[in-house]
Amino acid sequence: MELKFDSTQEFQIDAVDAVVRLFDGQSKIQADIRFVEGAGFIGAPNRLDLTEIDLLGNLQETQRISGVSISKEILSIVEAIETAGGKKEVKFSNFSVEMETGTGKTYVYIRTALELNKRYGFQRFIIVVPSIAIKEGVLKTFQVTEKHFSDLYDRVPYRFYAYDSSNLTQVRQFCSSSNLEFMIMTLDSFNKSMTEEGKGNVIRRPTDRLQGAVPIHLIQETRPILILDEPQNMESERSISALAALNPLLALRYSATHRTPYNLIYRLTPADAYKQGLVKKIEVASVVREDDLNQVFISLEAVTAKKNTVSAMLIANKLFRSQSVKPTKFSVMRDDNLGEKTNLPEYKSFTVEEINPGSNTILFTNGIEVSVGESHGADKESTFEAQIRYTVEEHFRKQRRLKDLGIKVLSLFFIDRVDNYATSSGIIRRLFLKAFNELKQGNTDWGELDAEEVQAAYFAATRKKEEVILEDSSGKSQKDEEAYDLIMKDKEKLLSFESKVAFIFSHSALREGWDNPNVFQICTLNQSVSEVKKRQEIGRGVRLAVNQEGERIRDSQVNLLTVVANQSYESFVEQYQQEVVEEFGVGVEHPPPPANARKPRPVKLRKEMTLKPEFKELWERIRQKTHYSVKVDTERLIDDCVKLIDSVEIRAPRVTVIKARVDLNKEGAFEALQISSARTLVDLAGRYPLPNLTDMISHILENTSPPVRLSKRTLVEIFLRTKKKHEAMDNPFEFASLAARHIRDRLTDYLVDGIKYERVNEWYEMSLFKEEMTSWEQYVVSCERSIYDGTEFDSDVERRFIEDLERLPQVFMYFKLPPWFTITTPVGTYNPDWAIVWDEGEGLLKDSKKLKLYLVRETKGTTILNDLRPDERRKIICAQRHFGDALGVDYKVITNAKQLP
């Protein structure tokens, strides 16, 4: 299997552009090698020629384009570090990119680095990760995208490798190479001055393998750009000092859940990803105990010590005035009696004798002791058995349905204790073997397989010390090593039917930084309700699935993640939504709640509707395919581009000084407070040889890439007519960058404005309509006038629109145009929303002379096209030409059904 990647996904390109735009005006670094005393030969270090004022201006413009909060200043980290020349204070800016889990964060930052190298010549990048699991995932992404990026970036040579203290030639290569270099480092490999054995950390001590040089001093000379993967795990004082010790030029921070979003420049929220179909839809199968409140149940959630007070947070059954009994959370202290707290006599023998914050336990006078995370009186085996059995059943069902599509289904189990699976008598292992062996009977796909060969597990040896998680894969058996390689390194093999492994078990090692596109079930096995973040749990399986050819599948009927939870559906959703609110605030749109897996809703095609002459007429009008051609008025385009270029300011290169005070903000973080404006010390205009016009035009040509490029002749004409020739001579790179940006935008508009669609001898066939689809009850509006007996909605706006279509008497028939019904445009494919038969005879159609209208409508939040995103606006213009001009079909953008017809 070879995984395929799509280089045209707009949201990923936007994330790349957000970073690249920060450096507008930066001159390109030329590759060379120089000698540094004490370090030897060093390749051209990264450097930043922009002033802080320039960088701030670029940052604010980027934030405006991305639609995120505008920063008033650039947040930086300032630290004193040890260098080859002694102690030195370093300062480096940080910029944050926030992307929902499963949307290609690692792909984006690798592509960003390649783009930065192409445009500005930056050559040295260090990717810092907090764990081995994430490191393996990054290395795997580098491997599987190597051919893709080689094709995308004209086979530019680049190397990637994990830092290895036993192979310091990698450090020499990183520092001296004239090519693009990526080094992946776990934070733990360089954030300590001493090893566990009391020896100096290899990276911080002189070594004969580098002719007596200190490895970290060599790295410092290169001014690497840091890419921080999951930086929320790198915010302790020790971690920040370790990052600063690398003497970085700047840091790019990538995460779905930033704790400190330094200078946020791009955000793709859970709502954005969910709404745009960039991740799987989610459903929850809640496995809960009902009418089982007779036994004494106690779960210890937390032990808290404050000053002279120690308390514990419990969950126990409680009798309310309404005579209902519900599990309830409350706090207790020493000598509290649970009988009084719960109003239930069964708890009278439970008086708190001791709460021990050291061992995280609570002891009652009747001798019963409970630890944090454990419970007393709960029949966990029956709950586990139900969860495991349901997960295996769901796995078998989905694999049977998706096998013909070439999709292998995986299920992921998060377990409460390693011993519950790792030992042969472990409760989870035993229950899985039982469920699998019983359910496989009579199943032709699974009947001949042994339960042991379809499962694999990864449990990292973890310990937490000084806020750093250490993981070690040593001491494993051969089978453990094979499982580790399969889960962490051999993604293609795990995704293929060649491997029999389909069920994966883990405790905590896979909760962050690891995911697999074909995880379709996640089952969390805990004695009490899982306290792990729901977004974190769901994130392991939200990536869109791939088939055996490595192609991403974008069918919403396929991409469905089932979370098998040991809590009610309502409480799971409430917790999930609360996490989103806490992360993004109340004012943003949140994704629809995960669907209840217990209430699927089949949506069936009503064949009698498709036989009606009105449907046949509507379908005959809209099913015609077209191809487009464009006609561009080159002279007018040149004039418009010249006017745009002449209207922008292009400043000459210069040397400036800015005074700033290093201060602490309220959160205790270092930041720079600017106390003077930029002052030019040296004007560099005219100090360098005149630029080569051919090179300048080539730069504009390379960065002007809509579907049709302008010829060099046209670009030369634009240059000859502009009034900015002097500025172009003084600052050719800035001129070329600005010119390319304006020409690209204007040319795209011209392509759309001059587009013409013509019919071709191809049509969409009725056979493409599925006779039955499966959705969820709460996301479907039952329909009488649609060709399906129900219509799925993606938002409240769409739900109200469907309900209005059902109520309006003039609407005789309608249907939501399926995802395969698309129109080709210069800015990508376009899928219109609705096809409608409108009857001026108020839906009766008794009088054949009454006017019948056949409509295609797009629903948006506004009918003002200039208020839409540029590519949305352009696609709508193309749709107007396709339907209106080529097919003669009435097409409009509306906000609600009242604007029909």
Side-chain angles (χ1 to χ4, degrees):
M1 178 190 293
E2 180 181 322
L3 294 174
K4 309 289 193 310
F5 297 91
D6 182 0
S7 64
T8 65
Q9 295 195 87
E10 188 175 344
F11 73 98
Q12 293 182 338
I13 294 172
D14 288 345
V16 173
D17 287 345
V19 176
V20 173
R21 203 178 290 115
L22 289 172
F23 303 97
D24 279 353
Q26 165 77 16
S27 56
K28 189 167 185 177
I29 302 167
Q30 300 302 317
D32 67 359
I33 296 178
R34 61 194 176 91
F35 183 80
V36 176
E37 189 173 352
F41 288 99
I42 299 293
N46 296 325
R47 73 169 190 272
L48 190 62
D49 301 325
L50 302 175
T51 67
E52 191 158 329
I53 291 295
D54 295 330
L55 196 57
L56 178 60
N58 289 345
L59 168 63
Q60 293 172 336
E61 176 64 15
T62 295
Q63 291 172 326
R64 274 190 287 271
I65 293 172
S66 297
V68 298
S69 298
I70 306 297
S71 298
K72 294 181 180 179
E73 60 185 354
I74 295 177
L75 297 179
S76 302
I77 290 175
V78 182
E79 286 279 320
I81 67 170
E82 292 292 341
T83 70
K87 214 167 187 67
K88 171 186 173 182
E89 187 175 80
V90 298
K91 171 185 174 183
F92 61 100
S93 303
N94 286 245
F95 304 95
S96 299
V97 174
E98 191 165 90
M99 296 182 68
E100 176 64 347
T101 301
T103 57
K105 167 173 57 73
T106 310
Y107 172 96
V108 164
Y109 67 61
I110 296 173
R111 182 169 176 177
T112 299
L114 288 163
E115 192 68 26
L116 290 174
N117 172 259
K118 174 184 173 181
R119 297 200 193 185
Y120 305 115
F122 296 127
Q123 287 185 311
R124 291 166 225 291
F125 295 84
I126 295 179
I127 300 171
V128 184
V129 299
S131 69
I132 288 177
I134 297 178
K135 181 190 75 173
E136 295 292 357
V138 172
L139 286 169
K140 188 63 186 178
T141 302
F142 266 106
Q143 292 165 10
V144 299
T145 58
E146 194 166 9
K147 182 180 183 301
H148 169 78
F149 284 134
S150 178
D151 294 340
L152 194 59
Y153 286 93
D154 298 325
R155 290 168 174 75
V156 62
Y158 66 92
R159 283 179 289 220
F160 58 90
Y161 37 84
Y163 167 75
D164 181 355
S165 61
S166 66
N167 183 16
L168 293 180
T169 55
Q170 290 177 335
V171 174
R172 171 62 71 191
Q173 173 182 292
F174 179 84
C175 298
S176 61
S177 170
S178 59
N179 294 322
L180 177 57
E181 300 284 333
F182 294 93
M183 184 157 61
I184 300 99
M185 306 180 76
T186 59
L187 184 63
D188 191 51
S189 66
F190 66 94
N191 76 337
K192 292 182 175 181
S193 57
M194 302 292 288
T195 64
E196 293 296 319
E197 294 76 25
K199 298 178 181 179
N201 194 316
V202 171
I203 202 170
R204 296 176 182 269
R205 65 176 190 250
T207 174
D208 292 339
R209 288 177 283 176
L210 296 175
Q211 291 78 49
V214 178
I216 201 168
H217 291 169
L218 296 183
I219 294 172
Q220 289 170 355
E221 291 291 335
T222 69
R223 301 302 311 278
I225 292 177
L226 301 186
I227 296 175
L228 308 183
D229 195 325
E230 306 296 351
Q232 67 273 18
N233 298 316
M234 308 175 194
E235 296 193 3
S236 68
E237 289 184 14
R238 180 188 292 273
S239 299
I240 291 172
S241 296
L243 295 173
L246 298 173
N247 192 26
L249 186 71
L250 53 93
L252 303 175
R253 310 166 75 91
Y254 289 83
S255 178
T257 53
H258 286 284
R259 187 178 301 163
T260 307
Y262 292 77
N263 304 309
L264 183 68
I265 57 173
Y266 179 79
R267 168 176 278 173
L268 181 69
T269 68
D272 295 331
Y274 206 90
K275 185 168 56 177
Q276 296 174 37
L278 305 178
V279 293
K280 289 190 183 87
K281 301 298 183 185
I282 303 163
E283 65 179 12
V284 179
S286 57
V287 179
V288 296
R289 306 182 70 85
E290 296 184 12
D291 301 322
D292 185 30
L293 302 172
N294 299 304
Q295 60 183 334
V296 173
F297 167 75
I298 302 168
S299 174
L300 180 57
E301 301 296 294
V303 171
T304 305
K306 292 182 178 179
K307 295 183 179 180
N308 298 323
T309 304
V310 179
S311 61
M313 186 64 68
L314 300 177
I315 295 178
N317 297 329
K318 182 176 180 179
L319 175 65
F320 292 87
R321 289 183 180 178
S322 62
Q323 297 305 300
S324 64
V325 179
K326 297 179 182 178
T328 305
K329 184 182 289 189
F330 51 85
S331 179
V332 297
M333 300 175 67
R334 192 165 60 87
D335 296 330
D336 281 348
N337 180 266
L338 297 194
E340 296 174 2
K341 289 276 188 179
T342 63
N343 303 317
L344 290 171
E346 292 84 357
Y347 285 89
K348 282 189 175 179
S349 65
F350 287 83
T351 298
V352 179
E353 180 176 321
E354 179 184 287
I355 302 173
N356 191 328
S359 59
N360 277 329
T361 57
I362 185 169
L363 176 66
F364 298 97
T365 53
N366 58 11
I368 292 174
E369 185 178 66
V370 184
S371 299
V372 169
E374 294 185 346
S375 57
H376 167 77
D379 182 8
K380 77 173 181 179
E381 181 162 335
S382 62
T383 304
F384 282 7
E385 182 177 11
Q387 286 182 269
I388 292 169
R389 190 177 186 88
Y390 183 86
T391 303
V392 176
E393 287 176 348
E394 185 68 14
H395 186 108
F396 285 2
R397 281 194 292 268
K398 282 189 184 171
Q399 186 60 85
R400 183 171 59 251
R401 183 164 61 88
L402 300 180
K403 184 177 180 181
D404 289 344
L405 298 177
I407 298 172
K408 179 183 175 182
V409 172
L410 300 174
S411 291
L412 175 62
F413 293 86
F414 284 125
I415 68 175
D416 60 341
R417 289 173 173 242
V418 174
D419 287 345
N420 282 340
Y421 175 86
T423 63
S424 58
S425 60
I427 180 176
I428 292 174
R429 176 182 287 274
R430 179 165 48 81
L431 291 174
F432 174 78
L433 295 176
K434 180 175 181 286
F436 182 86
N437 288 327
E438 288 177 359
L439 292 170
K440 76 175 185 178
Q441 300 303 319
N443 190 310
T444 55
D445 292 326
W446 301 91
E448 300 302 317
L449 293 175
D450 184 82
E452 291 291 348
E453 62 183 344
V454 300
Q455 57 182 306
Y458 171 46
F459 305 113
T462 61
R463 54 181 173 162
K464 193 161 186 178
K465 182 178 181 182
E466 296 182 348
E467 299 184 55
V468 178
I469 298 177
L470 309 179
E471 298 189 8
D472 182 13
S473 61
S474 62
K476 292 181 168 66
S477 68
Q478 180 63 33
K479 183 178 179 181
D480 291 334
E481 288 291 351
E482 290 173 358
Y484 174 84
D485 288 343
L486 180 65
I487 295 169
M488 304 303 298
K489 298 180 179 180
D490 299 333
K491 179 179 284 189
E492 297 94 332
K493 184 177 180 181
L494 181 59
L495 287 168
S496 74
F497 290 122
E498 171 193 347
S499 170
K500 297 176 182 177
V501 172
F503 300 91
I504 300 169
F505 293 81
S506 184
H507 177 253
S508 60
L510 302 183
R511 285 199 190 277
E512 188 174 63
W514 179 91
D515 65 75
N516 188 291
N518 287 13
V519 169
F520 283 89
Q521 287 76 233
I522 294 177
C523 179
T524 302
L525 301 169
N526 282 41
Q527 293 187 43
S528 58
V529 173
S530 171
E531 290 299 318
V532 176
K533 291 278 190 182
K534 298 307 172 194
R535 286 186 67 206
Q536 192 173 324
E537 282 183 0
I538 291 169
R540 304 315 104 211
V542 294
R543 195 179 296 273
L544 298 181
V546 298
N547 61 20
Q548 294 302 290
E549 284 70 48
E551 298 166 336
R552 195 74 62 185
I553 304 300
R554 304 191 184 279
D555 188 345
S556 61
Q557 297 293 312
V558 170
N559 287 299
L560 172 64
L561 174 66
T562 302
V563 180
V564 184
N566 65 339
Q567 66 187 110
S568 73
Y569 156 71
E570 293 83 2
S571 65
F572 184 100
V573 173
E574 182 181 352
Q575 185 177 340
Y576 176 71
Q577 293 282 44
Q578 184 58 37
E579 289 171 14
V580 176
V581 170
E582 290 173 358
E583 182 71 25
F584 299 100
V586 178
V588 299
E589 181 184 354
H590 302 303
N596 189 341
R598 301 294 190 182
K599 293 186 179 180
R601 165 67 152 89
V603 176
K604 297 181 180 179
L605 182 68
R606 301 163 69 197
K607 292 185 179 179
E608 71 276 13
M609 294 290 281
T610 65
L611 295 175
K612 289 180 181 289
E614 292 76 20
F615 173 81
K616 290 181 179 179
E617 178 67 17
L618 173 62
W619 182 241
E620 191 62 28
R621 290 179 180 230
I622 67 174
R623 75 189 189 104
Q624 174 76 52
K625 293 186 178 182
T626 60
H627 72 79
Y628 71 82
S629 58
V630 294
K631 184 177 181 181
V632 176
D633 185 339
T634 305
E635 185 62 28
R636 186 177 157 214
L637 174 62
I638 292 173
D639 286 343
D640 281 357
C641 290
V642 169
K643 289 176 184 176
L644 282 172
I645 294 170
D646 286 350
S647 68
V648 298
E649 181 183 14
I650 302 172
R651 301 182 67 183
R654 60 210 174 278
V655 178
T656 65
V657 61
I658 300 176
K659 285 187 177 179
R661 185 177 70 227
V662 177
D663 207 346
L664 284 172
N665 61 20
K666 293 180 180 179
E667 289 74 34
F670 286 106
E671 62 181 15
L673 178 64
Q674 185 176 319
I675 60 175
S676 73
S677 58
R679 182 167 61 90
T680 300
L681 299 178
V682 181
D683 188 345
L684 301 177
R687 291 201 171 202
Y688 304 112
L690 289 175
N692 185 302
L693 180 59
T694 302
D695 292 340
M696 191 185 306
I697 297 301
S698 296
H699 175 86
I700 298 174
L701 190 63
E702 289 173 5
N703 291 278
T704 309
S705 54
V708 179
R709 286 188 175 185
L710 293 179
S711 66
K712 285 188 177 181
R713 185 176 183 178
T714 302
L715 294 176
V716 170
E717 187 62 27
I718 291 173
F719 178 79
L720 293 176
R721 294 190 194 182
T722 182
K723 298 175 183 178
K724 298 287 185 178
K725 296 185 191 67
H726 179 74
E727 289 89 338
M729 295 299 102
D730 286 341
N731 199 340
F733 188 87
E734 174 74 358
F735 171 84
S737 299
L738 289 171
R741 184 194 313 162
H742 288 297
I743 292 170
R744 182 175 61 243
D745 289 344
R746 202 72 194 102
L747 177 57
T748 304
D749 284 336
Y750 266 70
L751 291 175
V752 171
D753 291 341
I755 198 166
K756 182 180 179 181
Y757 284 88
E758 295 179 345
R759 298 178 182 229
V760 295
N761 195 30
E762 292 180 49
W763 300 265
Y764 284 110
E765 299 295 339
M766 265 296 297
S767 59
L768 292 172
F769 283 95
K770 294 181 180 179
E771 293 191 2
E772 183 172 330
M773 299 179 290
T774 302
S775 187
W776 310 297
E777 187 173 85
Q778 69 190 95
Y779 295 148
V780 174
V781 176
S782 295
C783 302
E784 294 294 330
R785 302 182 186 181
S786 172
I787 65 172
Y788 284 95
D789 62 8
T791 301
E792 186 178 10
F793 60 89
D794 297 322
S795 65
D796 285 339
V797 172
E798 201 163 83
R799 175 182 56 77
R800 288 192 294 270
F801 185 80
I802 299 167
E803 291 169 349
D804 288 341
L805 290 178
E806 288 291 318
R807 282 194 289 263
L808 283 170
Q810 295 94 335
V811 176
F812 177 76
M813 177 186 294
Y814 70 92
F815 61 95
K816 192 174 186 180
L817 287 161
W820 46 261
F821 189 98
T822 59
I823 302 163
T824 304
T825 81
V827 288
T829 56
Y830 166 67
N831 173 221
D833 284 340
W834 307 97
I836 302 167
V837 177
W838 180 271
D839 172 31
E840 291 294 349
E842 298 187 344
L844 301 177
L845 287 176
K846 291 179 179 178
D847 187 350
S848 60
K849 295 181 180 179
K850 290 287 185 180
L851 179 63
K852 288 171 286 187
L853 302 179
Y854 299 89
L855 316 174
V856 175
R857 293 293 183 262
E858 177 76 19
T859 48
K860 293 290 184 186
T862 177
T863 57
I864 302 172
L865 296 189
N866 286 336
D867 289 346
L868 300 174
R869 293 180 61 173
D871 280 355
E872 282 184 324
R873 173 177 56 79
R874 290 163 180 153
K875 287 179 180 180
I876 287 171
I877 292 171
C878 291
Q880 290 169 340
R881 305 283 170 79
H882 166 85
F883 286 112
D885 296 349
L887 304 187
V889 173
D890 189 332
Y891 170 90
K892 288 180 183 176
V893 177
I894 59 177
T895 59
N896 57 66
K898 294 178 182 179
Q899 295 173 346
L900 289 169

